[in-house]
Amino acid sequence: MLVLAIESSCDETGAALVDAEGNIFADVVQSQVALHAEYGGVIPELASRDHLRNIGFVVEEAFSKAGRTLADVDGIAVTHRPGLVGALLVGVQVAKGLAWASDKPLVGVDHLVGHLLAVFLRDGGPERARPAFPFVSLLVSGGHTAIYRVDGPSVGEIRELGATRDDAAGEAFDKVGKLLGLGYPGGPVIDRLAATGNDRAVPFKIPVVTEYEFSFSGIKTQVAAHVREHGVPGSPEGMADLCASFQRTVVETLTRKLFAAASKEGVASVVVGGGVAANRGLRARIHAEAEKRGMQAFIPPIAHCTDNAAMIGYAGAMRLVRGERDPWDLVAQSVTALPRTTRKGGGRR
Ligand code: KG4
Ligand code: ZN
């Protein structure tokens, strides 16, 4: 089963060729980060236009890297939710066009399911252990932060245990990065600076919310208050300390809630996915906590944590092998298909 996958939900245009075992034959990602950087965030109209400009080349490059053609493909998978609707539409229309022209089955994939299953991708390197179902997964990206119980690869087998009430963790990294004048996106820069800082230098408080729910707007406010009082650190050491202290607060809240959920659900494995799973502090803390508790932690390599089409291809392959396919009226939607328990702004549903 060879699947062509297309991803265009936010600011990365992706195309990949993968199979139902998670083998990747090509995984091409064209990032728009430079385009949006000067605005300090993703501008939806610019994103759509750039996807449109690049998607043809990205798909062609995936085929050429894999040495395959459309005729070799058994199905086409495309991210159709959640995301920026104008951005999603570009991928959905291209996928429909290719599926129609080649008479291949089409499946829509929920972007969050893609992130949750990215841990099953194989990249041709040394064989890595893969988690067994059920597991509890922390999805931390620029748009989403939630904990899920995952009993299988399809939407009906994934349950949200809790999510953020306000900002996503990646959004907090990006907003703090902006506040400290570190550019966009802030996550990778803060990660790098935090590595040399003292993470107890500034005693930021870990937010108190219900068991599995998160809140990151308070941490951002604490950093803003600190900067108002003391100014943006003038020395590299001061900046490193501030970044390390902020990052520790985020990492602690994510780690504690993930393991509390895993214990309560009685699972042996935890999985992490999404762009913030690239954070070295978070990766180290989760591995250490798993070891302490005699559990297993699975965190995909960084290229599979940030947005990519390979994860969409694998999630799509899981649908295609079950004989599922979507009709031509498949639409782009801004919200996830996964049931949500946390309401933005507070309180359980
Ligand atoms: O999953 P992703 O590529 O796109 C979304 O679906 O949102 O995640 C992007 C987010 C951004 O907020 C970025 O700052 C954050 O992931 N990020 C990081 C790191 N690398 C990316 N945050 C913390 N540490 C990192 N190393
Ligand atoms: Zn994502």
Side-chain angles (χ1 to χ4, degrees):
M1 156 91 52
L2 184 70
V3 179
L4 167 68
I6 294 175
E7 156 66 40
S8 68
S9 64
C10 191
D11 60 346
E12 325 275 349
T13 315
L17 285 155
V18 303
D19 68 15
E21 276 72 53
N23 295 304
I24 302 173
F25 302 95
D27 183 16
V28 180
V29 178
Q30 169 70 41
S31 172
Q32 304 180 355
V33 160
L35 177 72
H36 301 288
E38 68 173 292
Y39 305 99
V42 178
I43 307 294
E45 288 76 11
L46 294 184
S48 310
R49 212 176 306 161
D50 210 53
H51 284 306
L52 205 50
R53 212 164 10 228
N54 291 324
I55 190 122
F57 301 114
V58 168
V59 171
E60 275 173 21
E61 197 182 332
F63 277 124
S64 107
K65 277 197 165 151
R68 311 287 174 101
T69 69
L70 187 56
D72 301 321
V73 161
D74 299 297
I76 297 176
V78 62
T79 307
H80 75 118
R81 63 195 300 179
L84 303 168
V85 170
L88 287 163
L89 259 177
V90 175
V92 168
Q93 290 307 111
V94 169
K96 281 184 186 175
L98 292 173
W100 175 269
S102 60
D103 200 21
K104 310 277 179 176
L106 171 76
V107 284
V109 170
D110 192 290
H111 182 82
L112 304 188
V113 176
H115 274 303
L116 291 170
L117 301 184
V119 69
F120 293 106
L121 290 170
R122 297 184 158 106
D123 54 9
E127 186 70 8
R128 273 188 308 273
R130 301 160 111 201
F133 296 113
F135 54 79
V136 165
S137 185
L138 170 69
L139 202 168
V140 262
S141 73
H144 303 274
T145 295
I147 299 178
Y148 297 90
R149 179 187 166 100
V150 184
D151 285 286
S154 60
V155 167
E157 296 167 301
I158 301 172
R159 188 159 52 87
E160 184 192 279
L161 299 172
T164 180
R165 290 182 170 192
D166 40 59
D167 292 350
E171 207 175 340
F173 270 99
D174 296 340
K175 286 178 177 170
V176 166
K178 198 168 172 177
L179 195 76
L180 298 178
L182 300 174
Y184 172 85
V189 189
I190 292 176
D191 183 359
R192 187 159 40 76
L193 293 170
T196 59
N198 169 10
D199 66 5
R200 308 278 174 158
V202 187
F204 293 129
K205 285 195 199 63
I206 295 177
V208 180
V209 257
T210 66
E211 223 175 0
Y212 305 147
E213 292 184 327
F214 300 100
S215 169
F216 293 102
S217 67
I219 302 180
K220 179 191 65 194
T221 309
Q222 287 184 66
V223 178
H226 180 86
V227 167
R228 252 196 321 273
E229 199 174 323
H230 305 277
V232 172
S235 69
E237 295 77 23
M239 187 62 97
D241 285 352
L242 186 55
C243 288
S245 302
F246 159 73
Q247 180 170 296
R248 175 184 173 273
T249 315
V250 176
V251 165
E252 275 311 307
T253 181
L254 293 171
T255 308
R256 290 181 194 180
K257 283 165 192 267
L258 169 63
F259 282 93
S263 298
K264 196 151 177 192
E265 293 297 318
V267 298
S269 310
V270 297
V271 172
V272 191
V276 181
N279 186 270
R280 287 171 297 169
L282 181 65
R283 297 172 83 92
R285 178 74 179 83
I286 285 176
H287 280 301
E289 187 66 24
E291 196 170 330
K292 201 168 95 189
R293 292 170 180 250
M295 295 173 70
Q296 277 195 293
F298 298 86
I299 313 180
I302 288 167
H304 300 168
C305 289
T306 50
D307 283 352
N308 65 85
M311 67 185 192
I312 303 304
Y314 181 76
M318 293 299 99
R319 293 198 59 198
L320 288 163
V321 293
R322 291 179 178 201
E324 295 175 25
R325 47 217 57 207
D326 282 317
W328 296 119
D329 60 3
L330 176 74
V331 289
Q333 281 178 271
S334 61
V335 295
T336 178
L338 296 176
R340 284 169 297 162
T341 56
T342 297
R343 225 171 341 134
K344 283 261 176 176
R348 297 187 83 78
R349 272 170 199 272

